[in-house]
Every structure is written in structure tokens, then in C-alpha cells.
Amino acid sequence: GAVVSQHPSRVICKSGTSVKIECRSLDFQATTMFWYRQFPKQSLMLMATSNEGSKATYEQGVEKDKFLINHASLTLSTLTVTSAHPEDSSFYICSAGQGLAGGPGTDTQYFGPGTRLTVL
Amino acid sequence: AQKITQTQPGMFVQEKEAVTLDCTYDTSDPSYGLFWYKQPSSGEMIFLIYQGSYDQQNATEGRYSLNFQKARKSANLVISASQLGDSAMYFCAMREDDRGSTLGRLYFGRGTQLTVWP
């Protein structure tokens, strides 16, 4: 099956620093990647949709200058949390899709293992 | 209005028994897809099963089956012969415009924490 990796899996940083999280599709080309945020015991909240070669589409209420997303290739998207603060501490998960190569409705989003960010 | 509703915050089932996790959805789009994901304590999201709105038969994947009742807008997950390793959070999700040309976003429910006891 399709594999999506995320790096790092855990990161602890000081307040005010920037943190970059990578999301890679290892064995397929992902035209679209999604970035989610999840607080403890809560659902996944979509932050932004990232299409290769174009600007990310952010969900309402998500600061695009705070959460920079770059999707430079068909296998890599990055999320940079700029000037991180303790309230940015969360679990960040990416997902990637292959598109409709298998026909309508057969594509599936595959999720990375997530990155746990702790801002001190 | 919420697009996905999971009304069971927690469910308990004994090993080897079957369990049903509820999910209702709300959409006016005639083409949509319904998904179930499992999230163990490690945090990874594991895809379990998919049901398209035009599919005539209920989806099945091993011990997982999806009880799709279109008129009721429900897509309950049935896990047969529960195992201790099934203990996890389970999320129901929906994608609208399932036959569109681009990969659409998923709307997630709040999840159901399943605990399997011996």
C-alpha cells in the first residue's frame, strides 16, 4: 500500500523558534497533500490543502503567515510553524493522495504517522 | 451543521464479540465517499474501509464491514470478532464530490474510543 512518512516524529522547541515538518509520499506521486492538526482526544482539524506547484489553500481561521506550507514536488510537502508559541503545541498530521488513477472514488488519502510538537 | 456525527464517545466490547460504531452524515451532494480510520495511541491514522455513495453493496474488508443505509444517511462500522489490538480511536469521515477530478478534503467526526477487554 501507499506509504507516507513524516519527519520529525517528535520535536520540542523553545518559544519563538520556527519548526519545519516534512511530509513525503514514498512510493507514489501525490498531487494533493493535506495538513491537519489534532488536539488531545479531539478530531482532526484540516489546516490547509496543498497542491503541487501552487499556493496552499488555508481553512478559515488558520494563519497562513504562521503556518507556511510548501509543496515543491510531487513527493514532498513541508509545514513550517513560524515563531512557535506554547499554544501551537499539538499533533500535526499530513495526508497525501494519488488522485483518480484508479478511477472515480478509488483514490484514498494516506496519512503520515504524525509529528508531535511541544513548544516550551 | 456538522457533516459527520459520531454519537458514541466510548464503546466497550469483549474480545471475540462484534461491535458496531455509529456514524451519520449530512450532505446534499449526490456523489460522496465515506471512510473509516483507526487511530491507535501511537497517533497514526490507519485506513480501514471505504464506501461510495453509488455503491450498491456494503463494503467489507476482512473483519470490517460498513453498514451503509443511504436513506438514513448512516454508515456504521461493524467489527466482527474483536481483538485486543482493535482498541483505538475510530474516526468516520466523508468526502464530497467523490467523482470529481481532484482529491477532495475529508470531513471527520469526533471519533469513538473503542476498548476491547479480554
Side-chain angles (χ1 to χ4, degrees), chain A residues 14-27:
Chain A
K14 291 182 179 180
S15 186
T17 60
S18 293
V19 175
K20 180 184 283 188
I21 301 170
E22 292 186 348
C23 177
R24 292 182 185 272
S25 56
L26 298 184
D27 50 2

Side-chain angles (χ1 to χ4, degrees), chain B residues 61-108:
Chain B
E61 289 286 348
R63 294 186 298 110
Y64 305 107
S65 60
L66 200 152
N67 184 0
F68 181 43
Q69 298 192 38
K70 199 168 183 177
R72 290 186 172 185
K73 292 191 173 180
S74 74
N76 298 340
L77 176 71
V78 180
I79 305 175
S80 62
S82 298
Q83 301 172 357
L84 295 179
D86 293 336
S87 294
M89 182 72 89
Y90 288 79
F91 289 99
C92 178
M94 177 178 68
R95 178 176 65 206
E96 295 176 317
D97 189 24
D98 209 36
R99 292 186 174 181
S101 58
T102 57
L103 186 63
R105 61 162 293 173
L106 291 174
Y107 295 91
F108 283 90

Side-chain angles (χ1 to χ4, degrees), chain A residues 60-119:
Chain A
Q60 192 173 10
V62 177
E63 300 175 58
K64 55 185 68 176
D65 294 331
K66 172 79 172 175
F67 300 99
L68 301 178
I69 292 172
N70 183 276
H71 193 165
S73 76
L74 286 171
T75 59
L76 174 64
S77 176
T78 60
L79 166 67
T80 301
V81 183
T82 62
S83 187
H85 288 94
E87 58 265 29
D88 299 323
S89 297
S90 190
F91 191 60
Y92 293 87
I93 312 177
C94 72
S95 70
Q98 294 178 266
L100 298 173
T106 60
D107 56 317
T108 303
Q109 284 187 33
Y110 294 94
F111 284 81
T115 296
R116 194 164 301 281
L117 170 63
T118 303
V119 185

Side-chain angles (χ1 to χ4, degrees), chain A residues 32-81:
Chain A
T32 304
M33 288 184 172
F34 299 88
W35 285 96
Y36 295 86
R37 183 175 181 176
Q38 186 180 30
F39 291 105
K41 299 197 183 297
Q42 293 192 24
S43 188
L44 279 72
M45 182 193 81
L46 180 66
M47 299 174 67
T49 302
S50 167
N51 290 295
E52 186 267 340
S54 62
K55 288 185 178 179
T57 302
Y58 289 82
E59 293 298 299
Q60 192 173 10
V62 177
E63 300 175 58
K64 55 185 68 176
D65 294 331
K66 172 79 172 175
F67 300 99
L68 301 178
I69 292 172
N70 183 276
H71 193 165
S73 76
L74 286 171
T75 59
L76 174 64
S77 176
T78 60
L79 166 67
T80 301
V81 183

Side-chain angles (χ1 to χ4, degrees), chain B residues 13-19 63 79-84 86 116-118:
Chain B
V13 66
Q14 190 170 23
E15 201 177 5
K16 300 180 184 176
E17 297 293 312
V19 63
R63 294 186 298 110
I79 305 175
S80 62
S82 298
Q83 301 172 357
L84 295 179
D86 293 336
V116 182
W117 50 283

